[in-house]
Amino acid sequence: MATETAPELRYNELIEAFAQLELQEVPVLAHASLRAFGAVQGGAETLLSSLLPNVAALMMPAHTYLTMITPLAGPANNGIIYGRRQDQNRLAESFSAQMPADRLMGILPETLRQRPGARRSAHPILSFTGINVDNALQAQTLQEPLAPIRMLAENDGWVLLLGVDHTVNTTIHYAEKLAGRRQFIRWALTESGIIECPGFPGCSAGFKPLEKDLADVTREIRVGEALVRAMPMQAIFEGVANRLRRNPKDLLCTDITCERCNELRKG
Ligand SMILES: [Zn+2]
């Protein structure tokens, strides 16, 4: 017996659904799982085509973790075990502007990056891509990898979680930095050799508790099988600042082998 499956989502349904979020006037940083929606006719292209008319500007992380190198030694208290991951070092790829966005972030960022009119910033690990976000992308430097988020926030930017939760919400990382949480140093392979990347954020596995703090400002809809949520970046900054003021060790994960959370727990 055939199992009952939900009908394919179509462009018209998607465009009507995203319109309900009322984000047409604001720039948006989106994180997405296409799979979470169930079947979508035309896949990632259809999802993007229905989202773009419903936002003023669209940015997504296009991070490239394959460039990362773990050195044999380096600065202390850096949330890293030096000399580990030598196998990954051997497989590391040199960053180039055409390097695909890491699959860890799903298919949407890479689809966006390849879209006509899309630009991409040049950070060898933490690049962003998007349409109508040129100023935000240009603001990124090695010293300030999350500057594109600062720029969107200055323009009343929102975060859009498309079938994903706060454990992929990069804006929480920027909020941690604003609240004074220490950042780390990482290294990337580039065409000019291995370069140091300061301002690298911590771990995001412990971010879920923030969800309830943001409930009052979150716009939430169901689209197909996916839960779609949007919230203002400024509210995220305030929520994180409140938590870290009460408990500087809040929003860390519970994995006892987590090198970055363990480092921050040391205080
Ligand atoms: Zn952790």
Side-chain angles (χ1 to χ4, degrees):
M1 200 175 92
T3 51
E4 210 174 306
T5 52
E8 272 193 331
L9 278 168
R10 291 157 185 268
Y11 173 76
N12 281 343
E13 296 167 81
L14 287 165
I15 207 163
E16 280 175 25
F18 293 139
Q20 294 169 36
L21 294 167
E22 297 183 6
L23 298 173
Q24 290 87 351
E25 308 296 327
V26 295
V28 165
L29 172 58
H31 304 275
S33 162
L34 177 63
R35 201 177 304 159
F37 284 79
V40 175
Q41 194 174 69
E45 290 288 353
T46 304
L47 198 79
L48 277 181
S49 299
S50 53
L51 182 58
L52 280 164
N54 282 304
V55 296
L58 180 64
M59 187 166 83
M60 297 188 84
H63 302 175
T64 48
Y65 303 113
L66 285 176
T67 62
M68 292 181 80
I69 294 281
T70 304
L72 292 171
N77 308 318
N78 191 27
I80 194 168
I81 297 173
Y82 293 109
R84 278 221 183 142
R85 305 189 180 96
Q86 295 305 304
D87 288 345
Q88 283 174 41
N89 285 357
R90 278 187 281 276
L91 295 171
E93 292 177 22
S94 179
F95 179 76
S96 75
Q98 290 308 310
M99 190 171 197
D102 199 292
R103 284 165 176 267
L104 274 177
M105 289 168 299
I107 190 179
L108 264 295
E110 180 57 14
T111 309
L112 176 62
R113 189 185 74 79
Q114 292 191 17
R115 213 173 160 92
R119 298 278 178 85
R120 191 217 204 135
S121 62
H123 193 285
I125 307 170
L126 301 174
S127 69
F128 289 83
T129 188
I131 291 177
N132 290 337
V133 289
D134 294 8
N135 288 344
L137 298 177
Q138 281 160 16
Q140 190 181 43
T141 61
L142 266 183
Q143 285 69 36
E144 197 192 353
L146 301 183
I149 295 178
R150 170 172 59 76
M151 294 289 285
L152 251 60
E154 284 171 5
N155 289 290
D156 300 318
W158 282 57
V159 170
L160 182 57
L161 301 175
L162 298 154
V164 292
D165 65 27
H166 284 287
T167 60
V168 298
N169 184 349
T170 314
T171 300
I172 300 177
H173 283 310
Y174 183 64
E176 291 179 302
K177 179 184 178 309
L178 281 181
R181 181 162 272 178
R182 200 152 58 77
Q183 308 288 290
F184 299 102
I185 298 168
R186 290 295 179 267
W187 290 265
L189 190 59
T190 73
E191 280 151 9
S192 41
I194 295 173
I195 61 165
E196 190 175 288
C197 302
F200 201 86
C203 151
S204 57
F207 285 175
K208 255 192 177 168
L210 195 67
E211 186 177 296
K212 58 179 181 294
D213 306 25
L214 299 171
D216 288 348
V217 295
T218 298
R219 295 177 189 167
E220 185 174 310
I221 56 171
R222 278 242 161 236
V223 186
E225 295 169 24
L227 185 61
V228 172
R229 291 173 289 184
M231 64 286 303
M233 285 176 162
Q234 286 296 343
I236 295 173
F237 297 169
E238 286 162 27
V240 170
N242 286 338
R243 274 185 175 266
L244 296 193
R245 204 178 301 124
R246 285 195 301 265
N247 173 13
K249 291 166 188 173
D250 205 349
L251 300 174
L252 301 179
C253 82
T254 54
D255 175 0
I256 56 165
T257 68
C258 180
E259 294 154 21
R260 284 175 293 173
C261 288
N262 283 342
E263 187 60 47
L264 293 173
R265 220 172 257 119
K266 280 196 234 159

